[in-house]
Amino acid sequence: MINVLSMDNISNRDVTAYYMDTIYKAAQEYGSANRFDFSCLPEKDSIVIVSTVIEALKLLCKGYKKVGIWIQGVLPEESYLKHQSKIRKKILEYIERLCLSRAVILFMVSKEMLRHYEKKYNLCLSDKTVIMPCFNTTIDPEAFDDSERYKKNIFTYVGSLAPWQCFTQTIELYSKLEQVLKNSELKIFTPDIEAAECICKEKIKNYSIEYVSNSKLQERLRHIKFGFILREDNVVNQVATPTKFSSYLANGVIPIFNKSIRSFDEESNEMEYVLRVERFDDVENVVNFCNKKIDLDQIQNEYRRLFDRYYCPNKYIRIIKSKFQELHLG
């Protein structure tokens, strides 16, 4: 029996549910599968798969021996960016290394993440690791029907104001674009509405800020041309596969990103309808792309191919099922 943590009462459900559901579907195809939560734990001799190293530590401390972990981000480095605490970072590194070494199976979001952990902790993890990027949607053909959207310079920023998401740098870039492009507009979707307003009101003119559910967000994105995903070149971003890439692409939004997000940079290397910028102030590159004519059939076909090979749940269900078999789990 493979027991997969339920996301019903998890605060970041939108981020993790799709991934954990995919693992559960693979477990169902493999054999016997069950969902659980921490109020009703399965038998200690069974396999349990959780969504953080902290959850894994709790189970290891309770005596569970067969723990699997989905790892979305590098927790010690993220914590240090937020709190600037070396002690906190050291504690989290101890927990992380312990859980990685004891886990029977690992789910990571990029090859870069696997390389990071193997080098940092001098561990061999590849044999028990499945690589699957973060995504939570499928491509919507109707999003590519409106040719008028690509004639308007409407940009978006989706996400929190966490330090590694580079909201301030994004606003700085847009402020320069606003001075050059006619009728430009920035639509910001964030839970941090007040903080975003404080930053924007001093720097830009044509913008709106709101927070909407994931289902409503998909509808809003259908009317937007460009989506910002800019990051500093640090390990937190190098290993990441931001979910908003799939949200943008599924709805026909052209991502504006930089090479620090290594997995997507590699996957999109041959794509025409993505906008890779070299610097946070790369105005010229963006303006040139704004003048580019968009072929609706071409952009849809290009994005569909990416979903077929990279954002394909059925592909990862097969890969995870194969890893369960290889490791003789269950």
Side-chain angles (χ1 to χ4, degrees):
M1 172 75 72
I2 296 178
N3 299 277
V4 181
L5 182 67
S6 170
M7 295 288 103
D8 288 344
N9 297 310
I10 303 299
S11 60
N12 61 342
R13 188 183 188 282
D14 283 348
V15 178
T16 59
Y18 198 90
Y19 209 118
M20 299 300 282
D21 287 348
T22 302
I23 295 172
Y24 177 64
K25 290 173 184 176
Q28 284 182 306
E29 290 197 9
Y30 175 62
S32 183
N34 180 51
R35 302 305 291 262
F36 77 96
D37 59 41
F38 279 86
S39 67
C40 185
L41 292 171
E43 296 295 323
K44 288 187 178 180
D45 61 348
S46 62
I47 296 166
V48 286
I49 297 174
V50 293
S51 61
T52 69
V53 294
I54 301 300
E55 293 168 346
L57 179 66
K58 290 178 182 178
L59 292 176
L60 290 171
C61 290
K62 289 178 180 293
Y64 286 83
K65 304 294 185 183
K66 302 174 184 177
V67 178
I69 317 167
W70 171 56
I71 306 172
Q72 182 188 5
V74 284
L75 188 58
E77 288 80 1
E78 289 179 5
S79 173
Y80 187 76
L81 282 177
K82 283 183 179 179
H83 306 287
Q84 298 295 303
S85 170
K86 292 183 179 179
I87 294 176
R88 186 187 184 103
K89 182 173 181 285
K90 285 290 184 184
I91 293 170
L92 290 172
E93 285 174 335
Y94 175 82
I95 294 171
E96 194 173 63
R97 190 186 193 287
L98 174 70
C99 293
L100 289 172
S101 61
R102 293 195 181 181
V104 295
I105 187 169
L106 296 167
F107 303 89
M108 299 189 191
V109 301
S110 68
K111 295 176 184 176
E112 192 66 30
M113 176 179 279
L114 176 59
R115 287 192 286 266
H116 163 75
Y117 281 131
E118 290 192 322
K119 181 179 180 180
K120 180 176 180 178
Y121 296 124
N122 194 28
L123 295 172
C124 184
L125 304 173
S126 56
D127 288 347
K128 62 178 181 181
T129 299
V130 173
I131 305 294
M132 172 181 154
C134 291
F135 64 101
N136 63 352
T137 189
T138 56
I139 195 164
D140 181 6
E142 293 183 4
F144 299 85
D145 291 342
D146 180 12
S147 61
E148 293 301 312
R149 69 184 288 189
Y150 295 117
K151 297 177 182 178
K152 305 171 186 177
N153 294 317
I154 300 178
F155 299 79
T156 189
Y157 173 92
V158 177
S160 74
L161 270 60
W164 58 86
Q165 297 214 30
C166 297
F167 178 75
T168 301
Q169 294 93 323
T170 300
I171 297 304
E172 291 285 355
L173 174 57
Y174 176 75
S175 70
K176 293 180 174 65
L177 293 171
E178 195 175 61
Q179 296 171 26
V180 178
L181 298 171
K182 294 182 178 180
N183 301 319
S184 64
E185 182 181 355
L186 176 62
K187 295 181 180 293
I188 300 166
F189 300 97
T190 180
D192 307 314
I193 294 175
E194 291 185 8
E197 176 65 32
C198 287
I199 295 170
C200 291
K201 67 182 181 181
E202 301 295 333
K203 297 180 181 295
I204 59 178
K205 296 178 180 178
N206 302 320
Y207 69 94
S208 62
I209 306 174
E210 62 179 318
Y211 179 70
V212 298
S213 65
N214 186 61
S215 59
K216 290 183 179 179
L217 175 63
Q218 305 307 311
E219 169 61 31
R220 303 291 183 87
L221 291 176
R222 294 180 189 178
H223 309 290
I224 292 169
K225 184 175 181 179
F226 293 110
F228 289 113
I229 315 180
L230 302 176
R231 296 289 190 271
E232 296 280 2
D233 193 17
N234 57 43
V235 66
V236 170
N237 297 317
Q238 290 163 2
V239 306
T241 55
T243 307
K244 69 188 73 177
F245 272 117
S246 67
S247 295
Y248 285 169
L249 296 161
N251 293 284
V253 178
I254 300 167
I256 301 175
F257 70 101
N258 50 4
K259 293 183 178 181
S260 59
I261 309 172
R262 294 183 178 178
S263 180
F264 188 81
D265 183 56
E266 181 179 329
E267 289 295 330
S268 65
N269 189 47
E270 302 297 326
M271 293 176 64
E272 180 177 351
Y273 290 109
V274 297
L275 178 47
R276 187 181 289 102
V277 295
E278 299 298 327
R279 308 175 313 278
F280 285 121
D281 62 349
D282 194 356
V283 176
E284 183 179 359
N285 199 10
V286 179
V287 171
N288 289 339
F289 201 103
C290 286
N291 296 323
K292 180 187 182 81
K293 185 178 179 180
I294 306 299
D295 184 306
L296 292 181
D297 290 334
Q298 187 176 349
I299 191 173
Q300 181 177 357
N301 290 335
E302 185 175 79
Y303 287 6
R304 185 181 297 281
R305 287 194 294 271
L306 184 65
F307 273 81
D308 287 344
R309 73 171 188 271
Y310 187 57
Y311 296 126
C312 178
N314 291 333
K315 168 188 172 180
Y316 294 111
I317 287 171
R318 292 192 298 269
I319 291 173
I320 295 168
K321 177 184 174 183
S322 177
K323 184 61 71 173
F324 285 151
Q325 294 170 332
E326 179 186 328
L327 296 174
H328 304 291
L329 299 180

